[in-house]
């Protein structure tokens, strides 16, 4: 298992995973734009040349907004998400990110537990943020 920065050549594979996993997936252009800026950081985790997960943040004035956190279904529950996110946070701190913010569906207990394990706290609710299905988001902060 290897964690490295996402590159342009990864985006086709990442976009397929994104469509598999999320009901409102980012498109290729969203990823292309996101990895271009040096304020942002996107990481992938690969195993035997297959991308099995990714996550990233967009950095604005020392704040990192985390938008995508995903591990391929067969590889979940093996601590890979935790390692990947820990890596993102450590690298972000080196790049001057002092606070991380993310939003998560209130029913997504697995992700909430992962974020709590990393030290995130729930600081608010965003009403009806999600569609397909409609649901409130917790805003979490580290
Ligand atoms: C959320 C997600 C990234 C977690 O990745 P993962 O690699 O499966 O998580 P890990 O194995 O690293 O587990 C880390 C922690 O998450 C929590 N967790 C993981 N699986 C869990 C489960 N089935 N039930 C409850 N908590 C769970 C635990 O706190 C775990 O720590 P522990 O093992 O010490 O108890 C992954 O499930 C996923 O891709 N889900 C679909 C996409 C998604 O919902 N992304 C988040 C959008 S905000």
């Amino acid at each position: 298992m290897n964690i490295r920065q996402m590159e342009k050549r990864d985006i086709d594979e990442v976009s397929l995973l994104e469509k598999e996993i999320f009901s409102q997936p980012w498109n290729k252009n969203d990823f292309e734009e996101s990895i271009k800026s040096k304020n942002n950081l996107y990481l992938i985790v690969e195993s035997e040349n297959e991308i099995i997960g990714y996550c990233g943040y967009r950095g604005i004035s020392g704040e990192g907004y985390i938008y995508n956190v995903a591990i391929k279904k067969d590889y979940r529950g093996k601590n890979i998400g935790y390692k990947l996110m820990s890596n993102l946070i450590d690298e972000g701190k080196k790049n001057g990110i002092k606070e991380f913010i993310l939003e998560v569906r209130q029913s997504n207990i697995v992700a909430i537990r992962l974020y709590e394990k990393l030290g995130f706290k729930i600081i608010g609710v965003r009403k009806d943020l999600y569609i397909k299905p409609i649901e409130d988001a917790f805003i979490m902060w580290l």
Side-chain angles (χ1 to χ4, degrees), residues 1 33 46 52 75 82 84 89 93 113 115 130-131 133:
M1 202 188 84
E33 287 305 315
E46 59 192 352
I52 59 168
Y75 295 88
Y82 181 75
L84 182 62
I89 290 163
K93 285 179 182 165
R113 291 279 173 277
Y115 302 142
Y130 296 103
I131 54 168

Side-chain angles (χ1 to χ4, degrees), residues 64-99:
Y65 292 85
I66 296 174
Y67 287 96
N68 318 73
V69 180
I71 299 294
K72 198 171 181 170
K73 215 168 184 179
D74 294 348
Y75 295 88
R76 290 183 193 160
K78 299 177 193 293
N79 211 33
I80 299 172
Y82 181 75
K83 279 190 196 141
L84 182 62
M85 282 291 287
S86 301
N87 209 299
L88 183 78
I89 290 163
D90 289 347
E91 290 303 311
K93 285 179 182 165
K94 285 184 204 159
N95 294 341
I97 301 292
K98 296 190 169 51
E99 304 178 38

Side-chain angles (χ1 to χ4, degrees), residues 117-132:
K117 190 176 164 185
L118 289 158
F120 281 82
K121 302 261 182 283
I122 294 171
I123 55 159
V125 172
R126 226 183 278 289
K127 192 95 193 108
D128 295 341
L129 179 72
Y130 296 103
I131 54 168
K132 303 187 207 170

